[in-house]
Amino acid sequence: MAALTVLTGIVNSLSTFWMEKMTKTYVIFHVLVLVSCCIALLAMATPSNGTPKNSAAYVFTNVESTSGWAPTGFSFLFGFLSVSWTMTDYDATAHITEEISQPEIKAPWAISTAMLFTYLAGWLFNIVLCFTMGDPAVILASPIQQPVAQIFFNVLGKSGGIFYTVCAFIILKFVCFTAMQSLARTVFAFSRDRLIPGSRIWTTINPLTQTPIYAVWISVFWCVAINLIGLGSYAAIAGVFNVCAIALDWSYCIPIFCKLAFGKFERGPWHMGKFSAAVNVYACVWTLFVSVIFVLPTVRPVTALNMNYAVAFLALIFLFAAVYWVLGGRRFYTGPLVEADIGEGESIDASGRFRGRGGSGSGSGSAEGEERVKA
């Protein structure tokens, strides 16, 4: 885990140019693997090789409750956790908008396209898996503890199983590359706004690659450190994963809620028109609902080993944030800093002060310059 995370950090230390090339290659590879895997599974799952397909009635209507919850619908609702994980990295483009041209158009188009593809392709792929998996109890009891890899092995044999498992690993690794890119840019942005301790360090840009190199590696460090919790307790790391899903969804919906509540929002060139308000309300209501599901224990009766510790972690996060804000954050964090808007003949001197066309500093009379230069 640590070695793979370090590899992710090395890749993210490269320039955005190479990340773009890798991402384009990954998209093509991902689609080809997904389509070929679906065809292979449907073609090879036959009674003759001992893997008959499940019926359509079983795939679309059967729900088995092994959680101990009643009614059975709770088992269905707990399935949203894995779906939420799948649907959290489609906003990766938004985190590098400062590094692309026309971000106000390209970023939302990329997010919408990725979201639509993930919804449709992921839904269809799960249907294929349900048709070809056989008895779920046998799959879950797999000695390798990788249910999907076990399905590949059962249906496609050793060679096919290894091939598509390796392909899945490569796809997962590419997702890690973009996720780390998003995380490092988030650390950079928060540091630029002076929200994180040591902000001057994390905003350092490597002159060769033009990437926030220290933000990348502090992200690598904390990813490894948090993942090491899994060595001590599976229940604890599962709670961390649940909190991540909740926090990511909240990070999307808090700005949406503020838009609805306060109305201080200016539309960009890309928007959803008359459907915008309805989609915004649905996003907030759905996130509130699914967040409740994510803090419930997924197995009953509840013990110390199967408890969902997401609630405890959320409480600690809120406590830390409140203490940090009271002790220091409120004094040096004033909100997102606006990028400098420098006109012809204007500049910023070494101290960061705005200098107008006549060379006068903004601190000595240029109120307009002081307003225009926030970073």
Side-chain angles (χ1 to χ4, degrees), residues 22-334:
M22 292 176 60
T23 302
K24 288 181 177 179
T25 304
Y26 150 71
V27 171
I28 297 172
F29 177 78
H30 192 173
V31 173
L32 291 176
V33 169
L34 199 61
V35 172
S36 64
C37 185
C38 288
I39 295 174
L41 287 173
L42 291 174
M44 296 295 292
T46 60
S48 60
N49 67 358
T51 55
K53 296 184 183 70
N54 291 318
S55 66
Y58 175 85
V59 171
F60 293 106
T61 64
N62 186 68
V63 179
E64 297 180 15
S65 178
T66 59
S67 63
W69 279 84
T72 306
F74 273 103
S75 294
F76 175 81
L77 295 177
F78 289 138
F80 284 125
L81 182 58
S82 59
V83 178
S84 180
W85 264 107
T86 306
M87 300 303 298
T88 51
D89 197 34
Y90 51 74
D91 71 321
T93 306
H95 295 274
I96 57 169
T97 51
E98 296 174 342
E99 302 171 46
I100 60 177
S101 61
Q102 296 182 303
E104 68 280 4
I105 296 176
K106 292 182 178 180
W109 265 118
I111 293 172
S112 302
T113 304
M115 185 168 57
L116 179 62
F117 173 78
T118 304
Y119 265 122
L120 294 179
W123 182 62
L124 293 174
F125 185 60
N126 273 278
I127 290 176
V128 172
L129 291 178
C130 288
F131 268 113
T132 59
M133 69 180 179
D135 186 354
V138 175
I139 297 298
L140 292 175
S142 166
I144 62 173
Q145 299 185 4
Q146 295 291 336
V148 177
Q150 189 65 50
I151 295 174
F152 293 161
F153 177 80
N154 292 347
V155 178
L156 304 176
K158 181 178 179 180
S159 298
I162 292 175
F163 174 78
Y164 280 108
T165 300
V166 171
C167 288
F169 172 79
I170 294 172
I171 291 171
L172 286 171
K173 200 62 215 161
F174 271 106
V175 172
C176 288
F177 292 155
T178 57
M180 179 66 73
Q181 186 182 44
S182 300
L183 174 59
R185 271 36 174 205
T186 302
V187 171
F188 170 82
F190 285 167
S191 300
R192 179 190 56 198
D193 298 338
R194 304 188 186 99
L195 184 60
I196 298 178
S199 58
R200 290 185 179 275
I201 300 174
W202 318 129
T203 53
T204 301
I205 301 296
N206 185 290
L208 181 62
T209 63
Q210 293 298 304
T211 54
I213 192 73
Y214 294 140
V216 169
W217 287 99
I218 191 64
S219 301
V220 170
F221 171 81
W222 283 113
C223 283
V224 173
I226 292 173
N227 271 295
L228 288 175
I229 295 173
L231 290 179
S233 171
Y234 176 79
I237 198 64
V240 172
F241 295 156
N242 288 359
V243 166
C244 288
I246 296 170
L248 283 166
D249 284 348
W250 286 7
S251 73
Y252 303 146
C253 282
I254 288 174
I256 297 175
F257 175 79
C258 291
K259 171 195 171 185
L260 294 172
F262 305 109
K264 296 180 180 180
F265 179 79
E266 293 184 13
R267 279 181 171 172
W270 195 102
H271 55 80
M272 302 190 70
K274 61 182 180 180
F275 298 104
S276 179
V279 172
N280 291 163
V281 171
Y282 175 77
C284 293
V285 173
W286 170 256
T287 300
L288 179 62
F289 167 73
V290 82
S291 295
V292 175
I293 301 298
F294 291 169
V295 297
L296 295 176
T298 57
V299 178
R300 297 185 69 182
V302 181
T303 67
L305 295 179
N306 62 26
M307 170 64 184
N308 185 352
Y309 290 96
V311 172
F313 293 149
L314 276 176
L316 288 174
I317 291 170
F318 284 132
L319 177 62
F320 173 81
V323 171
Y324 180 69
W325 174 255
V326 171
L327 294 182
R330 59 180 178 173
R331 290 198 296 271
F332 52 76
Y333 178 67
T334 58

Side-chain angles (χ1 to χ4, degrees), residues 313-367:
F313 293 149
L314 276 176
L316 288 174
I317 291 170
F318 284 132
L319 177 62
F320 173 81
V323 171
Y324 180 69
W325 174 255
V326 171
L327 294 182
R330 59 180 178 173
R331 290 198 296 271
F332 52 76
Y333 178 67
T334 58
L337 299 179
V338 181
E339 291 297 329
D341 180 15
I342 307 299
E344 184 178 356
E346 301 170 341
S347 64
I348 298 177
D349 64 18
S351 64
R353 291 159 58 93
F354 174 81
R355 305 195 68 84
R357 290 177 176 82
S360 60
S362 61
S364 59
S366 178

